[in-house]
């Protein structure tokens, strides 16, 4: 069901971005470059796992035992790509 109050949803997203930025700064204080790289890898892995969990909970019209059409498979792959976005390399 679409969100009826788009501005409220957008506000929550902005709040989450601000909270993530503040948390990142707090976690990163006093860490070495190597420690920051390890933390970045950990959170990137968590992001991917959460995106996969979201993908598996997406309701679709597929009944057990049926296969997705190519269009449904492509839409599902596009949805996954929008969840995780591009994955940057560790050093570049």
């Amino acid at each position: 069901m679409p969100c009826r109050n788009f501005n409220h949803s957008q506000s929550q997203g902005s709040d989450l971005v601000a909270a993530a930025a503040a948390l990142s700064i707090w976690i990163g204080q006093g860490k070495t470059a190597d420690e920051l790289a390890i933390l970045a890898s950990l959170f990137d892995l968590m992001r991917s796992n959460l995106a996969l969990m979201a993908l598996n909970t997406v309701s679709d019209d597929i009944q057990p035992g049926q296969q997705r059409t190519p269009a449904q498979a492509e839409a599902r792959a596009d949805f996954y790509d929008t969840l995780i976005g591009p994955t940057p390399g560790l050093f570049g």
Side-chain angles (χ1 to χ4, degrees), residues 12-28 43:
Q12 286 178 330
S14 297
D15 291 345
L16 286 174
V17 170
L23 186 59
S24 297
I25 292 168
W26 181 71
I27 289 173
F43 284 104

Side-chain angles (χ1 to χ4, degrees), residues 10-58:
Q10 193 174 21
S11 169
Q12 286 178 330
S14 297
D15 291 345
L16 286 174
V17 170
L23 186 59
S24 297
I25 292 168
W26 181 71
I27 289 173
Q29 287 181 338
K31 302 287 190 284
T32 67
D34 288 340
E35 290 170 330
L36 290 172
I38 290 169
L39 285 170
S41 296
L42 171 68
F43 284 104
D44 188 51
L45 180 59
M46 289 171 53
R47 174 184 66 116
S48 296
N49 287 334
L50 289 169
L52 285 172
M53 289 168 47
L55 184 63
N56 286 329
T57 60
V58 172

